[in-house]
Amino acid sequence: GVIRSSAEGDEQAPGPERSANGNGAIATIDPPQVESEWGAGRNAETIGALAELAVSAGANVQPGQHVEVSGETGHLEVVRAIVAAAYARGAEFVDVVISDPLVQAARIGAAPQESLDHVPGWEAERVRDLAERGGASILVTGPTYPGLFDGLDPRRVALASQGPSAEWRDATRAINWTIVPGATKGWAAELRPQLPIDEA
């Protein structure tokens, strides 16, 4: 991003992040411009509306709340929109958890059988911490790579997919949570194979 200093007469410069730069001036950091996978216009409006719905009606995010937003690599645009909407509603901290189905498939296919159900302690602790804080959780779902696990042993897939399930069962009683769909090109192609991919 571009950094401008208020000492240069730019005190009112727009930007979400301001920090002291050591000489008493405030630095404004403009976020980098990222090309959208889905483009602008109608799709961007739809994603923005979905994000607002997720944080308001879905998870009912409250000012000062900690929020977890999770999804797959193919859901990044929706996740980013939800993060922005959560901060706009006053969230204190938004923790983003992104999984990569290709990495998961590599683990399912090659990791030792006895390690497939291993859940790192920090994953369980993250869920417990969210519950103790009375946080909120928003899961973006929808297949990034439909059929990716079809050729894998279903027992191995089930073992590797458990995550901190016991902690989540307890957490859902203490937190606001919702699940929203995240459109992906793979999912769209599977559901509407007769249409061009952008239209699907």
Side-chain angles (χ1 to χ4, degrees):
V2 177
I3 301 177
R4 295 187 302 273
S5 171
S6 62
E8 298 168 7
D10 197 13
E11 292 181 32
Q12 301 301 319
E17 186 175 331
R18 296 175 181 268
S19 61
N21 65 9
N23 65 5
I26 300 294
T28 301
I29 302 173
D30 291 334
Q33 296 302 308
V34 179
E35 185 176 331
S36 166
E37 177 184 358
W38 292 100
R42 181 177 167 197
N43 288 322
E45 290 174 12
T46 301
I47 289 170
L50 176 65
E52 182 57 37
L53 184 65
V55 301
S56 59
N60 190 25
V61 172
Q62 298 297 305
Q65 206 168 27
H66 282 217
V67 180
E68 180 192 82
V69 181
S70 55
E72 294 181 0
T73 50
H75 302 140
L76 281 173
E77 191 167 359
V78 176
V79 167
R80 289 173 183 142
I82 291 171
V83 168
Y87 279 124
R89 279 185 64 86
E92 180 178 297
F93 178 72
V94 182
D95 186 18
V96 174
V97 179
I98 298 294
S99 62
D100 183 342
L102 296 175
V103 170
Q104 189 177 11
R107 178 182 183 213
I108 293 165
Q113 177 81 16
E114 63 275 9
S115 74
L116 287 174
D117 63 351
H118 172 71
V119 178
W122 58 265
E123 281 194 28
E125 183 55 36
R126 170 187 264 151
V127 177
R128 285 192 294 267
D129 182 67
L130 188 69
E132 287 169 9
R133 292 176 180 274
S137 175
I138 301 171
L139 170 64
V140 181
T141 189
T144 304
Y145 300 97
L148 180 64
F149 300 154
D150 288 355
L152 298 173
D153 181 340
R155 291 167 297 182
R156 290 178 63 88
V157 172
L159 281 172
S161 302
Q162 292 179 68
S165 54
E167 285 76 14
W168 274 116
R169 273 194 302 275
D170 293 340
T172 56
R173 297 185 198 110
I175 66 173
N176 315 354
W177 62 274
T178 192
I179 300 172
V180 297
T184 65
K185 289 185 177 181
W187 196 15
E190 183 178 56
L191 294 176
R192 298 204 164 95
Q194 73 280 10
L195 297 177
I197 189 61
D198 288 342
E199 189 179 341

